[in-house]
Amino acid sequence: MFDALTQLPDDYYVFHSFQMTRVRNNTVYENEIDFVIFNPSLGILCLEAKAGSAIKYSDGEWRYSNGLPMAHGGPFHQADRNKWNLLRYVEDSKAASLAARCKFLHAVWFPEITDNVLRGMTMPSEADRALVMTKEALSDPRSYIDRIFAIELPNGRKTDLQPAEA
């Protein structure tokens, strides 16, 4: 996946295993995002990666290929939570004023599941196929990423950063 993302043009910045640590009320909170993709004109995409050709949703749980349930409520809840954690992290930083002018999105990448298999998968209510990248994205990640960045937010937020701000 990392190698596939190196195909992106130079205005896409990819951060792998992005770590965030915050201390609140004397308690440490740690968070790791598989991939954060930043494009100065499109925004920020938090991408959760889940490998395995037999990943599935059944009996109210996401399960790995070995049948074990996934932690964190599954990949879509995890990706969404990561997005909000990163947004709060930016809002609490010296760059807080930029958060309101940058689009934050989340998605899930199943690098061993094809588009065709995805179409037949049962998906829970928090999972929308529009927020999924599949095996085919390994050869063309930009078309998938740009499709996700093109999704509108209910608040109408768009990314509007000056070059120096980006």
Side-chain angles (χ1 to χ4, degrees):
M1 289 181 284
F2 185 82
D3 290 341
L5 293 171
T6 64
Q7 299 174 42
L8 294 171
D10 289 343
D11 61 338
Y12 289 76
Y13 298 88
V14 178
F15 303 89
H16 180 248
S17 295
F18 185 80
Q19 300 283 327
M20 289 186 300
T21 303
R22 300 171 78 190
V23 176
R24 295 225 169 186
N25 300 322
N26 206 38
T27 303
V28 66
Y29 296 92
E30 297 173 308
N31 193 57
E32 183 260 337
I33 304 172
D34 291 338
F35 294 97
V36 175
I37 301 169
F38 171 64
N39 179 286
S41 61
L42 301 175
I44 293 174
L45 173 62
C46 294
L47 191 56
E48 179 63 27
K50 292 296 182 202
S53 60
I55 286 176
K56 65 181 178 178
Y57 180 79
S58 66
D59 301 323
E61 289 186 300
W62 280 98
R63 297 187 178 277
Y64 290 104
S65 296
N66 63 10
L68 292 174
M70 293 183 188
H72 312 294
F76 291 89
H77 282 301
Q78 188 174 1
D80 182 55
R81 191 170 27 256
N82 286 339
K83 170 190 68 183
W84 290 111
N85 285 339
L86 182 57
L87 175 59
R88 281 190 293 277
Y89 185 82
V90 173
E91 288 173 337
D92 291 345
S93 74
K94 291 179 182 179
S97 64
L98 304 180
R101 297 191 353 260
C102 188
K103 190 175 182 179
F104 282 72
L105 294 160
H106 71 277
V108 174
W109 193 351
F110 297 121
E112 296 179 50
I113 293 177
T114 64
D115 284 336
N116 192 42
V117 170
L118 178 69
R119 281 191 285 279
M121 285 177 66
T122 299
M123 302 282 267
S125 61
E126 78 274 4
D128 192 298
R129 285 172 177 80
L131 298 173
V132 176
M133 294 172 61
T134 56
K135 184 175 188 172
E136 289 81 0
L138 291 170
S139 62
D140 182 19
R142 184 174 182 183
S143 66
Y144 283 79
I145 291 167
D146 286 351
R147 174 182 49 84
I148 295 165
F149 272 129
I151 295 171
E152 298 292 330
L153 297 179
N155 63 9
R157 181 178 292 172
K158 306 247 187 250
T159 299
D160 181 27
L161 302 174
Q162 297 301 315
E165 294 171 325

PDB file of all heavy atoms in Angstrom, residues 114-151:
ATOM      1  N   THR A 114     -11.208  -7.364  -3.925  1.00  0.00           N
ATOM      2  CA  THR A 114     -11.443  -6.720  -5.224  1.00  0.00           C
ATOM      3  C   THR A 114     -12.754  -5.934  -5.202  1.00  0.00           C
ATOM      4  O   THR A 114     -13.616  -6.149  -4.348  1.00  0.00           O
ATOM      5  CB  THR A 114     -11.520  -7.771  -6.351  1.00  0.00           C
ATOM      6  OG1 THR A 114     -12.663  -8.605  -6.111  1.00  0.00           O
ATOM      7  CG2 THR A 114     -10.243  -8.610  -6.429  1.00  0.00           C
ATOM      8  N   ASP A 115     -12.890  -5.042  -6.175  1.00  0.00           N
ATOM      9  CA  ASP A 115     -14.139  -4.293  -6.330  1.00  0.00           C
ATOM     10  C   ASP A 115     -15.321  -5.249  -6.458  1.00  0.00           C
ATOM     11  O   ASP A 115     -16.389  -5.019  -5.883  1.00  0.00           O
ATOM     12  CB  ASP A 115     -14.089  -3.398  -7.578  1.00  0.00           C
ATOM     13  CG  ASP A 115     -13.244  -2.151  -7.386  1.00  0.00           C
ATOM     14  OD1 ASP A 115     -13.051  -1.713  -6.234  1.00  0.00           O
ATOM     15  OD2 ASP A 115     -12.797  -1.596  -8.408  1.00  0.00           O
ATOM     16  N   ASN A 116     -15.130  -6.312  -7.227  1.00  0.00           N
ATOM     17  CA  ASN A 116     -16.201  -7.274  -7.452  1.00  0.00           C
ATOM     18  C   ASN A 116     -16.628  -7.960  -6.145  1.00  0.00           C
ATOM     19  O   ASN A 116     -17.818  -8.105  -5.874  1.00  0.00           O
ATOM     20  CB  ASN A 116     -15.772  -8.319  -8.485  1.00  0.00           C
ATOM     21  CG  ASN A 116     -16.919  -9.155  -8.952  1.00  0.00           C
ATOM     22  OD1 ASN A 116     -18.012  -8.634  -9.190  1.00  0.00           O
ATOM     23  ND2 ASN A 116     -16.699 -10.448  -9.099  1.00  0.00           N
ATOM     24  N   VAL A 117     -15.669  -8.372  -5.335  1.00  0.00           N
ATOM     25  CA  VAL A 117     -15.988  -9.000  -4.047  1.00  0.00           C
ATOM     26  C   VAL A 117     -16.663  -7.988  -3.127  1.00  0.00           C
ATOM     27  O   VAL A 117     -17.632  -8.309  -2.432  1.00  0.00           O
ATOM     28  CB  VAL A 117     -14.718  -9.600  -3.400  1.00  0.00           C
ATOM     29  CG1 VAL A 117     -14.978 -10.026  -1.958  1.00  0.00           C
ATOM     30  CG2 VAL A 117     -14.220 -10.779  -4.223  1.00  0.00           C
ATOM     31  N   LEU A 118     -16.187  -6.749  -3.132  1.00  0.00           N
ATOM     32  CA  LEU A 118     -16.780  -5.701  -2.292  1.00  0.00           C
ATOM     33  C   LEU A 118     -18.266  -5.526  -2.601  1.00  0.00           C
ATOM     34  O   LEU A 118     -19.082  -5.374  -1.699  1.00  0.00           O
ATOM     35  CB  LEU A 118     -16.037  -4.376  -2.477  1.00  0.00           C
ATOM     36  CG  LEU A 118     -16.603  -3.200  -1.676  1.00  0.00           C
ATOM     37  CD1 LEU A 118     -16.355  -3.404  -0.183  1.00  0.00           C
ATOM     38  CD2 LEU A 118     -16.008  -1.894  -2.156  1.00  0.00           C
ATOM     39  N   ARG A 119     -18.617  -5.555  -3.895  1.00  0.00           N
ATOM     40  CA  ARG A 119     -20.026  -5.382  -4.283  1.00  0.00           C
ATOM     41  C   ARG A 119     -20.925  -6.445  -3.646  1.00  0.00           C
ATOM     42  O   ARG A 119     -22.086  -6.182  -3.369  1.00  0.00           O
ATOM     43  CB  ARG A 119     -20.171  -5.406  -5.795  1.00  0.00           C
ATOM     44  CG  ARG A 119     -19.800  -4.096  -6.454  1.00  0.00           C
ATOM     45  CD  ARG A 119     -20.205  -4.073  -7.923  1.00  0.00           C
ATOM     46  NE  ARG A 119     -19.323  -4.879  -8.762  1.00  0.00           N
ATOM     47  CZ  ARG A 119     -18.142  -4.492  -9.225  1.00  0.00           C
ATOM     48  NH1 ARG A 119     -17.694  -3.291  -8.931  1.00  0.00           N
ATOM     49  NH2 ARG A 119     -17.417  -5.275  -9.991  1.00  0.00           N
ATOM     50  N   GLY A 120     -20.397  -7.624  -3.396  1.00  0.00           N
ATOM     51  CA  GLY A 120     -21.190  -8.699  -2.810  1.00  0.00           C
ATOM     52  C   GLY A 120     -21.134  -8.781  -1.301  1.00  0.00           C
ATOM     53  O   GLY A 120     -21.827  -9.599  -0.702  1.00  0.00           O
ATOM     54  N   MET A 121     -20.314  -7.938  -0.681  1.00  0.00           N
ATOM     55  CA  MET A 121     -20.156  -8.004   0.775  1.00  0.00           C
ATOM     56  C   MET A 121     -21.332  -7.354   1.496  1.00  0.00           C
ATOM     57  O   MET A 121     -21.875  -6.351   1.052  1.00  0.00           O
ATOM     58  CB  MET A 121     -18.868  -7.282   1.210  1.00  0.00           C
ATOM     59  CG  MET A 121     -17.599  -8.045   0.921  1.00  0.00           C
ATOM     60  SD  MET A 121     -16.098  -7.121   1.370  1.00  0.00           S
ATOM     61  CE  MET A 121     -16.244  -7.019   3.150  1.00  0.00           C
ATOM     62  N   THR A 122     -21.682  -7.938   2.629  1.00  0.00           N
ATOM     63  CA  THR A 122     -22.642  -7.313   3.535  1.00  0.00           C
ATOM     64  C   THR A 122     -21.905  -6.199   4.265  1.00  0.00           C
ATOM     65  O   THR A 122     -20.787  -6.390   4.727  1.00  0.00           O
ATOM     66  CB  THR A 122     -23.161  -8.344   4.558  1.00  0.00           C
ATOM     67  OG1 THR A 122     -23.808  -9.384   3.837  1.00  0.00           O
ATOM     68  CG2 THR A 122     -24.109  -7.713   5.551  1.00  0.00           C
ATOM     69  N   MET A 123     -22.544  -5.041   4.344  1.00  0.00           N
ATOM     70  CA  MET A 123     -21.911  -3.896   5.002  1.00  0.00           C
ATOM     71  C   MET A 123     -22.852  -3.347   6.072  1.00  0.00           C
ATOM     72  O   MET A 123     -24.054  -3.269   5.849  1.00  0.00           O
ATOM     73  CB  MET A 123     -21.603  -2.794   3.984  1.00  0.00           C
ATOM     74  CG  MET A 123     -20.712  -3.231   2.840  1.00  0.00           C
ATOM     75  SD  MET A 123     -18.997  -3.329   3.292  1.00  0.00           S
ATOM     76  CE  MET A 123     -18.467  -1.718   2.824  1.00  0.00           C
ATOM     77  N   PRO A 124     -22.302  -2.950   7.221  1.00  0.00           N
ATOM     78  CA  PRO A 124     -23.133  -2.350   8.269  1.00  0.00           C
ATOM     79  C   PRO A 124     -23.484  -0.902   7.934  1.00  0.00           C
ATOM     80  O   PRO A 124     -22.959  -0.322   6.975  1.00  0.00           O
ATOM     81  CB  PRO A 124     -22.227  -2.427   9.498  1.00  0.00           C
ATOM     82  CG  PRO A 124     -20.844  -2.340   8.940  1.00  0.00           C
ATOM     83  CD  PRO A 124     -20.901  -3.056   7.614  1.00  0.00           C
ATOM     84  N   SER A 125     -24.327  -0.311   8.740  1.00  0.00           N
ATOM     85  CA  SER A 125     -24.818   1.039   8.459  1.00  0.00           C
ATOM     86  C   SER A 125     -23.719   2.098   8.465  1.00  0.00           C
ATOM     87  O   SER A 125     -23.828   3.106   7.769  1.00  0.00           O
ATOM     88  CB  SER A 125     -25.907   1.420   9.460  1.00  0.00           C
ATOM     89  OG  SER A 125     -25.390   1.400  10.775  1.00  0.00           O
ATOM     90  N   GLU A 126     -22.642   1.896   9.216  1.00  0.00           N
ATOM     91  CA  GLU A 126     -21.579   2.911   9.266  1.00  0.00           C
ATOM     92  C   GLU A 126     -20.621   2.817   8.086  1.00  0.00           C
ATOM     93  O   GLU A 126     -19.740   3.643   7.935  1.00  0.00           O
ATOM     94  CB  GLU A 126     -20.779   2.805  10.576  1.00  0.00           C
ATOM     95  CG  GLU A 126     -19.765   1.691  10.632  1.00  0.00           C
ATOM     96  CD  GLU A 126     -20.303   0.342  11.087  1.00  0.00           C
ATOM     97  OE1 GLU A 126     -21.519   0.222  11.306  1.00  0.00           O
ATOM     98  OE2 GLU A 126     -19.504  -0.586  11.239  1.00  0.00           O
ATOM     99  N   ALA A 127     -20.800   1.801   7.247  1.00  0.00           N
ATOM    100  CA  ALA A 127     -19.880   1.563   6.136  1.00  0.00           C
ATOM    101  C   ALA A 127     -20.562   1.892   4.817  1.00  0.00           C
ATOM    102  O   ALA A 127     -21.605   1.342   4.496  1.00  0.00           O
ATOM    103  CB  ALA A 127     -19.435   0.102   6.141  1.00  0.00           C
ATOM    104  N   ASP A 128     -19.965   2.786   4.086  1.00  0.00           N
ATOM    105  CA  ASP A 128     -20.473   3.115   2.758  1.00  0.00           C
ATOM    106  C   ASP A 128     -19.392   2.763   1.749  1.00  0.00           C
ATOM    107  O   ASP A 128     -18.225   3.123   1.925  1.00  0.00           O
ATOM    108  CB  ASP A 128     -20.825   4.610   2.676  1.00  0.00           C
ATOM    109  CG  ASP A 128     -21.618   4.921   1.430  1.00  0.00           C
ATOM    110  OD1 ASP A 128     -21.089   4.720   0.302  1.00  0.00           O
ATOM    111  OD2 ASP A 128     -22.769   5.361   1.564  1.00  0.00           O
ATOM    112  N   ARG A 129     -19.785   2.082   0.691  1.00  0.00           N
ATOM    113  CA  ARG A 129     -18.815   1.650  -0.315  1.00  0.00           C
ATOM    114  C   ARG A 129     -18.073   2.829  -0.950  1.00  0.00           C
ATOM    115  O   ARG A 129     -16.968   2.663  -1.460  1.00  0.00           O
ATOM    116  CB  ARG A 129     -19.510   0.800  -1.372  1.00  0.00           C
ATOM    117  CG  ARG A 129     -19.842  -0.596  -0.877  1.00  0.00           C
ATOM    118  CD  ARG A 129     -20.717  -1.381  -1.870  1.00  0.00           C
ATOM    119  NE  ARG A 129     -20.961  -2.737  -1.417  1.00  0.00           N
ATOM    120  CZ  ARG A 129     -21.872  -3.073  -0.507  1.00  0.00           C
ATOM    121  NH1 ARG A 129     -22.629  -2.153   0.046  1.00  0.00           N
ATOM    122  NH2 ARG A 129     -22.020  -4.352  -0.158  1.00  0.00           N
ATOM    123  N   ALA A 130     -18.653   4.017  -0.914  1.00  0.00           N
ATOM    124  CA  ALA A 130     -17.983   5.200  -1.458  1.00  0.00           C
ATOM    125  C   ALA A 130     -16.730   5.550  -0.658  1.00  0.00           C
ATOM    126  O   ALA A 130     -15.867   6.278  -1.146  1.00  0.00           O
ATOM    127  CB  ALA A 130     -18.939   6.394  -1.486  1.00  0.00           C
ATOM    128  N   LEU A 131     -16.627   5.023   0.563  1.00  0.00           N
ATOM    129  CA  LEU A 131     -15.483   5.299   1.431  1.00  0.00           C
ATOM    130  C   LEU A 131     -14.513   4.126   1.484  1.00  0.00           C
ATOM    131  O   LEU A 131     -13.785   3.955   2.459  1.00  0.00           O
ATOM    132  CB  LEU A 131     -15.971   5.618   2.854  1.00  0.00           C
ATOM    133  CG  LEU A 131     -16.855   6.849   3.000  1.00  0.00           C
ATOM    134  CD1 LEU A 131     -17.389   6.953   4.410  1.00  0.00           C
ATOM    135  CD2 LEU A 131     -16.102   8.100   2.596  1.00  0.00           C
ATOM    136  N   VAL A 132     -14.506   3.315   0.422  1.00  0.00           N
ATOM    137  CA  VAL A 132     -13.666   2.122   0.399  1.00  0.00           C
ATOM    138  C   VAL A 132     -12.717   2.159  -0.796  1.00  0.00           C
ATOM    139  O   VAL A 132     -13.105   2.506  -1.907  1.00  0.00           O
ATOM    140  CB  VAL A 132     -14.526   0.836   0.331  1.00  0.00           C
ATOM    141  CG1 VAL A 132     -13.650  -0.406   0.211  1.00  0.00           C
ATOM    142  CG2 VAL A 132     -15.427   0.738   1.549  1.00  0.00           C
ATOM    143  N   MET A 133     -11.486   1.766  -0.531  1.00  0.00           N
ATOM    144  CA  MET A 133     -10.509   1.493  -1.576  1.00  0.00           C
ATOM    145  C   MET A 133     -10.285  -0.014  -1.568  1.00  0.00           C
ATOM    146  O   MET A 133     -10.308  -0.636  -0.505  1.00  0.00           O
ATOM    147  CB  MET A 133      -9.207   2.244  -1.306  1.00  0.00           C
ATOM    148  CG  MET A 133      -9.359   3.755  -1.385  1.00  0.00           C
ATOM    149  SD  MET A 133      -7.902   4.676  -0.836  1.00  0.00           S
ATOM    150  CE  MET A 133      -6.645   4.124  -1.982  1.00  0.00           C
ATOM    151  N   THR A 134     -10.074  -0.602  -2.732  1.00  0.00           N
ATOM    152  CA  THR A 134      -9.924  -2.043  -2.849  1.00  0.00           C
ATOM    153  C   THR A 134      -8.575  -2.400  -3.471  1.00  0.00           C
ATOM    154  O   THR A 134      -7.726  -1.536  -3.686  1.00  0.00           O
ATOM    155  CB  THR A 134     -11.063  -2.615  -3.713  1.00  0.00           C
ATOM    156  OG1 THR A 134     -11.047  -1.938  -4.963  1.00  0.00           O
ATOM    157  CG2 THR A 134     -12.413  -2.457  -3.027  1.00  0.00           C
ATOM    158  N   LYS A 135      -8.423  -3.669  -3.785  1.00  0.00           N
ATOM    159  CA  LYS A 135      -7.178  -4.176  -4.363  1.00  0.00           C
ATOM    160  C   LYS A 135      -6.776  -3.401  -5.617  1.00  0.00           C
ATOM    161  O   LYS A 135      -5.589  -3.142  -5.852  1.00  0.00           O
ATOM    162  CB  LYS A 135      -7.345  -5.664  -4.691  1.00  0.00           C
ATOM    163  CG  LYS A 135      -6.107  -6.331  -5.202  1.00  0.00           C
ATOM    164  CD  LYS A 135      -6.343  -7.828  -5.393  1.00  0.00           C
ATOM    165  CE  LYS A 135      -5.043  -8.530  -5.729  1.00  0.00           C
ATOM    166  NZ  LYS A 135      -5.230  -9.994  -5.717  1.00  0.00           N
ATOM    167  N   GLU A 136      -7.749  -3.015  -6.413  1.00  0.00           N
ATOM    168  CA  GLU A 136      -7.459  -2.284  -7.652  1.00  0.00           C
ATOM    169  C   GLU A 136      -6.752  -0.951  -7.385  1.00  0.00           C
ATOM    170  O   GLU A 136      -6.022  -0.453  -8.243  1.00  0.00           O
ATOM    171  CB  GLU A 136      -8.748  -2.048  -8.448  1.00  0.00           C
ATOM    172  CG  GLU A 136      -9.329  -3.303  -9.070  1.00  0.00           C
ATOM    173  CD  GLU A 136     -10.146  -4.171  -8.108  1.00  0.00           C
ATOM    174  OE1 GLU A 136     -10.289  -3.809  -6.922  1.00  0.00           O
ATOM    175  OE2 GLU A 136     -10.626  -5.227  -8.551  1.00  0.00           O
ATOM    176  N   ALA A 137      -6.928  -0.393  -6.204  1.00  0.00           N
ATOM    177  CA  ALA A 137      -6.267   0.869  -5.856  1.00  0.00           C
ATOM    178  C   ALA A 137      -4.760   0.704  -5.727  1.00  0.00           C
ATOM    179  O   ALA A 137      -4.030   1.701  -5.760  1.00  0.00           O
ATOM    180  CB  ALA A 137      -6.844   1.432  -4.564  1.00  0.00           C
ATOM    181  N   LEU A 138      -4.282  -0.527  -5.604  1.00  0.00           N
ATOM    182  CA  LEU A 138      -2.836  -0.736  -5.542  1.00  0.00           C
ATOM    183  C   LEU A 138      -2.152  -0.295  -6.833  1.00  0.00           C
ATOM    184  O   LEU A 138      -1.005   0.140  -6.817  1.00  0.00           O
ATOM    185  CB  LEU A 138      -2.519  -2.210  -5.264  1.00  0.00           C
ATOM    186  CG  LEU A 138      -2.877  -2.707  -3.869  1.00  0.00           C
ATOM    187  CD1 LEU A 138      -2.760  -4.225  -3.792  1.00  0.00           C
ATOM    188  CD2 LEU A 138      -2.008  -2.038  -2.814  1.00  0.00           C
ATOM    189  N   SER A 139      -2.858  -0.394  -7.958  1.00  0.00           N
ATOM    190  CA  SER A 139      -2.263   0.029  -9.227  1.00  0.00           C
ATOM    191  C   SER A 139      -2.654   1.457  -9.602  1.00  0.00           C
ATOM    192  O   SER A 139      -1.987   2.070 -10.430  1.00  0.00           O
ATOM    193  CB  SER A 139      -2.651  -0.935 -10.355  1.00  0.00           C
ATOM    194  OG  SER A 139      -4.044  -0.935 -10.537  1.00  0.00           O
ATOM    195  N   ASP A 140      -3.711   1.988  -9.011  1.00  0.00           N
ATOM    196  CA  ASP A 140      -4.157   3.347  -9.333  1.00  0.00           C
ATOM    197  C   ASP A 140      -4.782   4.002  -8.095  1.00  0.00           C
ATOM    198  O   ASP A 140      -5.990   4.210  -8.051  1.00  0.00           O
ATOM    199  CB  ASP A 140      -5.157   3.322 -10.488  1.00  0.00           C
ATOM    200  CG  ASP A 140      -5.616   4.708 -10.900  1.00  0.00           C
ATOM    201  OD1 ASP A 140      -4.927   5.704 -10.567  1.00  0.00           O
ATOM    202  OD2 ASP A 140      -6.681   4.805 -11.542  1.00  0.00           O
ATOM    203  N   PRO A 141      -3.977   4.318  -7.084  1.00  0.00           N
ATOM    204  CA  PRO A 141      -4.565   4.896  -5.875  1.00  0.00           C
ATOM    205  C   PRO A 141      -5.162   6.279  -6.078  1.00  0.00           C
ATOM    206  O   PRO A 141      -6.125   6.638  -5.408  1.00  0.00           O
ATOM    207  CB  PRO A 141      -3.395   4.931  -4.891  1.00  0.00           C
ATOM    208  CG  PRO A 141      -2.174   4.936  -5.732  1.00  0.00           C
ATOM    209  CD  PRO A 141      -2.528   4.161  -6.969  1.00  0.00           C
ATOM    210  N   ARG A 142      -4.632   7.044  -7.020  1.00  0.00           N
ATOM    211  CA  ARG A 142      -5.101   8.417  -7.168  1.00  0.00           C
ATOM    212  C   ARG A 142      -6.579   8.490  -7.535  1.00  0.00           C
ATOM    213  O   ARG A 142      -7.318   9.327  -6.998  1.00  0.00           O
ATOM    214  CB  ARG A 142      -4.273   9.170  -8.203  1.00  0.00           C
ATOM    215  CG  ARG A 142      -4.704  10.624  -8.271  1.00  0.00           C
ATOM    216  CD  ARG A 142      -3.865  11.456  -9.159  1.00  0.00           C
ATOM    217  NE  ARG A 142      -4.337  12.833  -9.118  1.00  0.00           N
ATOM    218  CZ  ARG A 142      -3.825  13.779  -9.846  1.00  0.00           C
ATOM    219  NH1 ARG A 142      -2.815  13.536 -10.652  1.00  0.00           N
ATOM    220  NH2 ARG A 142      -4.303  15.010  -9.762  1.00  0.00           N
ATOM    221  N   SER A 143      -7.050   7.645  -8.436  1.00  0.00           N
ATOM    222  CA  SER A 143      -8.458   7.733  -8.831  1.00  0.00           C
ATOM    223  C   SER A 143      -9.373   7.439  -7.636  1.00  0.00           C
ATOM    224  O   SER A 143     -10.412   8.080  -7.472  1.00  0.00           O
ATOM    225  CB  SER A 143      -8.766   6.793  -9.995  1.00  0.00           C
ATOM    226  OG  SER A 143      -8.622   5.446  -9.615  1.00  0.00           O
ATOM    227  N   TYR A 144      -8.987   6.512  -6.781  1.00  0.00           N
ATOM    228  CA  TYR A 144      -9.778   6.205  -5.593  1.00  0.00           C
ATOM    229  C   TYR A 144      -9.728   7.366  -4.601  1.00  0.00           C
ATOM    230  O   TYR A 144     -10.748   7.769  -4.046  1.00  0.00           O
ATOM    231  CB  TYR A 144      -9.260   4.932  -4.919  1.00  0.00           C
ATOM    232  CG  TYR A 144      -9.684   3.675  -5.624  1.00  0.00           C
ATOM    233  CD1 TYR A 144      -9.040   3.240  -6.782  1.00  0.00           C
ATOM    234  CD2 TYR A 144     -10.730   2.904  -5.135  1.00  0.00           C
ATOM    235  CE1 TYR A 144      -9.432   2.081  -7.430  1.00  0.00           C
ATOM    236  CE2 TYR A 144     -11.126   1.741  -5.777  1.00  0.00           C
ATOM    237  CZ  TYR A 144     -10.479   1.336  -6.925  1.00  0.00           C
ATOM    238  OH  TYR A 144     -10.875   0.194  -7.560  1.00  0.00           O
ATOM    239  N   ILE A 145      -8.537   7.874  -4.363  1.00  0.00           N
ATOM    240  CA  ILE A 145      -8.369   8.959  -3.396  1.00  0.00           C
ATOM    241  C   ILE A 145      -9.081  10.215  -3.860  1.00  0.00           C
ATOM    242  O   ILE A 145      -9.781  10.873  -3.082  1.00  0.00           O
ATOM    243  CB  ILE A 145      -6.863   9.196  -3.127  1.00  0.00           C
ATOM    244  CG1 ILE A 145      -6.311   8.000  -2.357  1.00  0.00           C
ATOM    245  CG2 ILE A 145      -6.628  10.501  -2.382  1.00  0.00           C
ATOM    246  CD1 ILE A 145      -4.800   7.938  -2.291  1.00  0.00           C
ATOM    247  N   ASP A 146      -8.948  10.548  -5.126  1.00  0.00           N
ATOM    248  CA  ASP A 146      -9.630  11.735  -5.645  1.00  0.00           C
ATOM    249  C   ASP A 146     -11.151  11.574  -5.593  1.00  0.00           C
ATOM    250  O   ASP A 146     -11.874  12.539  -5.340  1.00  0.00           O
ATOM    251  CB  ASP A 146      -9.171  12.046  -7.064  1.00  0.00           C
ATOM    252  CG  ASP A 146      -7.770  12.640  -7.099  1.00  0.00           C
ATOM    253  OD1 ASP A 146      -7.209  12.975  -6.035  1.00  0.00           O
ATOM    254  OD2 ASP A 146      -7.225  12.774  -8.219  1.00  0.00           O
ATOM    255  N   ARG A 147     -11.645  10.356  -5.816  1.00  0.00           N
ATOM    256  CA  ARG A 147     -13.091  10.106  -5.719  1.00  0.00           C
ATOM    257  C   ARG A 147     -13.562  10.366  -4.288  1.00  0.00           C
ATOM    258  O   ARG A 147     -14.608  10.976  -4.063  1.00  0.00           O
ATOM    259  CB  ARG A 147     -13.402   8.668  -6.128  1.00  0.00           C
ATOM    260  CG  ARG A 147     -14.867   8.263  -5.925  1.00  0.00           C
ATOM    261  CD  ARG A 147     -15.132   6.820  -6.287  1.00  0.00           C
ATOM    262  NE  ARG A 147     -14.222   5.853  -5.720  1.00  0.00           N
ATOM    263  CZ  ARG A 147     -14.333   5.327  -4.490  1.00  0.00           C
ATOM    264  NH1 ARG A 147     -15.296   5.698  -3.688  1.00  0.00           N
ATOM    265  NH2 ARG A 147     -13.452   4.428  -4.068  1.00  0.00           N
ATOM    266  N   ILE A 148     -12.772   9.943  -3.311  1.00  0.00           N
ATOM    267  CA  ILE A 148     -13.140  10.169  -1.914  1.00  0.00           C
ATOM    268  C   ILE A 148     -13.048  11.651  -1.575  1.00  0.00           C
ATOM    269  O   ILE A 148     -13.954  12.207  -0.939  1.00  0.00           O
ATOM    270  CB  ILE A 148     -12.270   9.308  -0.981  1.00  0.00           C
ATOM    271  CG1 ILE A 148     -12.574   7.823  -1.227  1.00  0.00           C
ATOM    272  CG2 ILE A 148     -12.486   9.685   0.482  1.00  0.00           C
ATOM    273  CD1 ILE A 148     -11.549   6.866  -0.655  1.00  0.00           C
ATOM    274  N   PHE A 149     -11.991  12.314  -2.002  1.00  0.00           N
ATOM    275  CA  PHE A 149     -11.868  13.756  -1.747  1.00  0.00           C
ATOM    276  C   PHE A 149     -13.000  14.544  -2.393  1.00  0.00           C
ATOM    277  O   PHE A 149     -13.353  15.631  -1.927  1.00  0.00           O
ATOM    278  CB  PHE A 149     -10.524  14.295  -2.252  1.00  0.00           C
ATOM    279  CG  PHE A 149      -9.403  14.214  -1.250  1.00  0.00           C
ATOM    280  CD1 PHE A 149      -8.191  13.647  -1.600  1.00  0.00           C
ATOM    281  CD2 PHE A 149      -9.539  14.730   0.034  1.00  0.00           C
ATOM    282  CE1 PHE A 149      -7.136  13.590  -0.692  1.00  0.00           C
ATOM    283  CE2 PHE A 149      -8.499  14.672   0.952  1.00  0.00           C
ATOM    284  CZ  PHE A 149      -7.295  14.105   0.593  1.00  0.00           C
ATOM    285  N   ALA A 150     -13.605  14.032  -3.454  1.00  0.00           N
ATOM    286  CA  ALA A 150     -14.702  14.735  -4.142  1.00  0.00           C
ATOM    287  C   ALA A 150     -16.021  14.650  -3.370  1.00  0.00           C
ATOM    288  O   ALA A 150     -16.973  15.374  -3.692  1.00  0.00           O
ATOM    289  CB  ALA A 150     -14.882  14.175  -5.548  1.00  0.00           C
ATOM    290  N   ILE A 151     -16.096  13.807  -2.357  1.00  0.00           N
ATOM    291  CA  ILE A 151     -17.320  13.691  -1.554  1.00  0.00           C
ATOM    292  C   ILE A 151     -17.534  14.993  -0.789  1.00  0.00           C
ATOM    293  O   ILE A 151     -16.613  15.521  -0.170  1.00  0.00           O
ATOM    294  CB  ILE A 151     -17.217  12.485  -0.587  1.00  0.00           C
ATOM    295  CG1 ILE A 151     -17.163  11.180  -1.391  1.00  0.00           C
ATOM    296  CG2 ILE A 151     -18.379  12.484   0.407  1.00  0.00           C
ATOM    297  CD1 ILE A 151     -16.842   9.955  -0.552  1.00  0.00           C
TER     298      ILE A 151
END
